[in-house]
Amino acid sequence: GQQLNQSPQSMFIQEGEDVSMNCTSSSIFNTWLWYKQDPGEGPVLLIALYKAGELTSNGRLTAQFGITRKDSFLNISASIPSDVGIYFCAGREMGFRAGNNRKLIWGLGTSLAVNP
Amino acid sequence: DGGITQSPKYLFRKEGQNVTLSCEQNLNHDAMYWYRQDPGQGLRLIYYSQIVNDFQKGDIAEGYSVSREKKESFPLTVTSAQKNPTAFYLCASSTPNEQFFGPGTRLTVL
């Protein structure tokens, strides 16, 4: 199946630094979702985006739905040790109304390590 | 408490045995999903169901089977035909727009 191109694959940063990661697709999307997964646990939804250009925050996290509808970005400001984990992007292609096809396309994740 | 439960957290089976993983949700969601996660490969869709008594194959359905007899439940059977069953299995349910995950079951086949 199709996969999203998520980058970077991994990051190792100092506590207090800001973090940026992104996802790109080859097709147009109408939904972008960002998740965080802790080791041995299920992914937790962080932010959902539904409109091109939309910018949404959740605490220190900010995500944007790209204008082209083919990309999305996640920023974490002032990182702390509990930000450690794997961040996944996921999206739904344009042309699939939510009620008819709820399958998501996933990135391979960005692994974040924070040095205290 | 509303949520998605998966049991057990860890499961061990001998090669050649079928095993069924449980997934229950009390969120009143119509759609449910099963994913497999291997290191470095992200989430791969096994099966999904958009409504009771209906389900569709995902990208890696071979060697797996599911049923959806109740809205709340979507069990996954890993059959002996699955060549490499050791993995972390995640169940999810969704609103029309957002998917939510259970805590996962780690299956190890010896």
Side-chain angles (χ1 to χ4, degrees):
Chain A
Q2 180 186 350
Q3 278 180 338
L4 299 174
N5 183 18
Q6 186 171 353
S7 64
Q9 186 175 0
S10 62
M11 302 180 74
F12 188 85
I13 62 171
Q14 294 294 121
E15 183 176 0
E17 289 184 357
D18 295 344
V19 173
S20 292
M21 60 191 78
N22 70 83
C23 268
T24 59
S25 69
S26 56
S27 56
I28 295 173
F29 279 26
N30 61 19
T31 301
W32 285 98
L33 305 173
W34 285 92
Y35 291 83
K36 182 194 179 205
Q37 185 178 29
D38 291 329
E41 300 296 331
V44 173
L45 181 62
L46 300 172
I47 293 177
L49 303 160
Y50 302 108
K51 289 173 61 175
E54 181 180 356
L55 188 70
T56 298
S57 293
N58 178 4
R60 291 178 296 105
L61 278 63
T62 302
Q64 185 165 23
F65 194 136
I67 291 292
T68 66
R69 300 178 182 268
K70 291 185 176 182
D71 55 9
S72 180
F73 308 87
L74 176 70
N75 296 315
I76 305 172
S77 62
S79 59
I80 59 178
S82 63
D83 289 334
V84 167
I86 301 177
Y87 292 80
F88 288 99
C89 62
R92 183 178 294 111
E93 289 182 286
M94 189 77 83
F96 291 99
R97 289 192 297 130
N100 290 342
N101 185 334
R102 303 179 193 181
K103 283 174 57 180
L104 295 175
I105 300 171
W106 291 83
L108 292 181
T110 294
S111 178
L112 178 63
V114 179
N115 190 28
Chain B
D1 265 335
I4 303 167
T5 57
Q6 293 186 243
S7 60
K9 182 69 173 175
Y10 299 95
L11 192 54
F12 297 87
R13 280 294 182 270
K14 291 183 179 180
E15 193 172 345
Q17 290 181 335
N18 291 355
V19 59
T20 297
L21 281 60
S22 165
C23 178
E24 303 280 332
Q25 55 99 1
N26 61 5
L27 301 169
N28 200 34
H29 290 166
D30 287 320
M32 296 186 74
Y33 311 78
W34 275 105
Y35 291 90
R36 170 183 172 137
Q37 188 174 31
D38 297 284
Q41 294 199 39
L43 280 69
R44 292 187 290 170
L45 184 64
I46 304 171
Y47 268 98
Y48 65 104
S49 168
Q50 299 199 63
I51 198 166
V52 174
N53 293 322
D54 185 55
F55 49 83
Q56 287 81 39
K57 292 182 179 179
D59 299 320
I60 56 165
E62 184 175 350
Y64 300 97
S65 65
V66 294
S67 63
R68 187 83 188 278
E69 297 176 1
K70 298 188 300 182
K71 187 175 187 177
E72 302 79 19
S73 179
F74 191 39
L76 173 75
T77 297
V78 184
T79 75
S80 56
Q82 167 52 233
K83 292 184 175 17
N84 186 18
T86 294
F88 189 48
Y89 290 88
L90 287 160
C91 177
S93 68
S94 75
T95 68
N97 293 318
E98 299 168 7
Q99 280 190 20
F100 301 91
F101 286 84
T105 292
R106 185 166 298 280
L107 172 65
T108 302
V109 176
L110 307 170

